[in-house]
């Protein structure tokens, strides 16, 4: 395990990992990469004493969306990425997720749910978790976020109408 010192070398390492994540995201859209590739890069970063930034997590989410579009990302992998983001701290400060990151997360959950009917109820619950965390953190969800959530709940209602009231009550 090599720890990158805080210097120009550290910035260079972060830039290289950012470029690698961009390549993984592009490859995922082509069906040639999976969230496992993202997790591998994040693990290697941590081994070097580096923490992924919000922009890097956004690239990881984009890779997961691409993989999910090709049937190569499960709900469990999407949730694992979300949990990594929630637990990440940069210089002792929790990573704050912005509207763009939350939009990507909801897109990921929506793509997974639309590709796998069995995961729809769990994906809908994760959407509610994201919206609740935003609300609890004092961030009002933007209209497009609410639109995505509603779209997923409508898909859920079409599949099994008995599940919809449970999610809307929350």
């Amino acid at each position: 395990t090599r720890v990158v010192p805080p210097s120009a070398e550290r910035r260079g390492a972060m830039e290289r990992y950012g470029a690698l994540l961009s390549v993984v995201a592009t490859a995922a859209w082509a069906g040639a990469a999976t969230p496992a590739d993202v997790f591998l890069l994040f693990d290697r970063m941590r081994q070097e004493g580096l923490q992924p930034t919000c922009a890097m997590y956004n690239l990881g989410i984009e890779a997961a969306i691409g993989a999910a579009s090709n049937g190569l990302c499960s709900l469990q992998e999407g949730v694992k990425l979300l949990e990594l983001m929630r637990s990440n701290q940069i210089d002792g400060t929790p990573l704050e997720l912005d509207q763009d990151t939350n939009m990507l997360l909801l897109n990921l959950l929506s793509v997974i749910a639309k590709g796998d009917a069995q995961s729809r109820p769990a994906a809908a619950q994760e959407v509610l978790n994201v919206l609740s965390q935003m609300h609890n953190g004092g961030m009002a969800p933007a209209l497009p976020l609410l639109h995505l959530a509603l779209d997923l709940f409508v898909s859920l209602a079409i599949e099994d109408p008995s599940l919809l009231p449970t999610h809307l009550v929350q």
Side-chain angles (χ1 to χ4, degrees):
T1 302
R2 180 177 158 255
V3 176
V4 178
S7 65
E9 186 179 333
R10 181 183 186 90
R11 279 190 303 278
M14 291 295 284
E15 288 172 7
R16 284 189 299 279
Y17 278 112
L20 286 170
L21 283 164
S22 182
V23 169
V24 168
T26 301
W29 280 99
T34 68
D37 299 304
V38 173
F39 299 138
L40 177 67
L41 284 175
F42 287 164
D43 288 343
R44 289 184 70 190
M45 288 180 71
R46 286 187 187 92
Q47 288 172 0
E48 293 183 26
L50 302 170
Q51 287 293 327
T53 64
C54 192
M56 290 175 165
Y57 277 113
N58 286 355
L59 284 169
I61 297 168
E62 287 183 29
I65 293 169
S69 296
N70 289 300
L72 301 173
C73 179
S74 69
L75 180 61
Q76 292 77 19
E77 290 169 314
V79 170
K80 180 179 176 182
L81 186 57
L82 177 59
E83 291 303 319
L84 281 173
M85 290 178 70
R86 287 178 180 155
S87 68
N88 191 39
Q89 293 192 1
I90 297 176
D91 298 327
T93 303
L95 185 69
E96 290 195 26
L97 307 182
D98 59 15
Q99 290 281 351
D100 293 334
T101 301
N102 285 306
M103 182 68 135
L104 286 169
L105 286 169
L106 266 65
N107 269 318
L108 172 60
L109 294 167
S110 179
V111 169
I112 291 170
K114 288 179 180 180
D116 177 12
Q118 291 182 332
S119 73
R120 282 190 190 129
Q125 185 59 52
E126 285 302 322
V127 167
L128 287 173
N129 291 343
V130 169
L131 293 173
S132 292
Q133 286 187 347
M134 289 178 71
H135 175 74
N136 293 340
M139 182 187 303
L143 189 57
L145 282 168
L146 295 174
H147 183 263
L148 268 173
L150 185 58
D151 182 52
L152 181 59
F153 295 136
V154 167
S155 296
L156 185 64
I158 291 169
E159 192 70 31
D160 185 354
S162 68
L163 294 174
L164 187 60
T166 302
H167 293 292
L168 285 181
V169 168
Q170 294 179 356

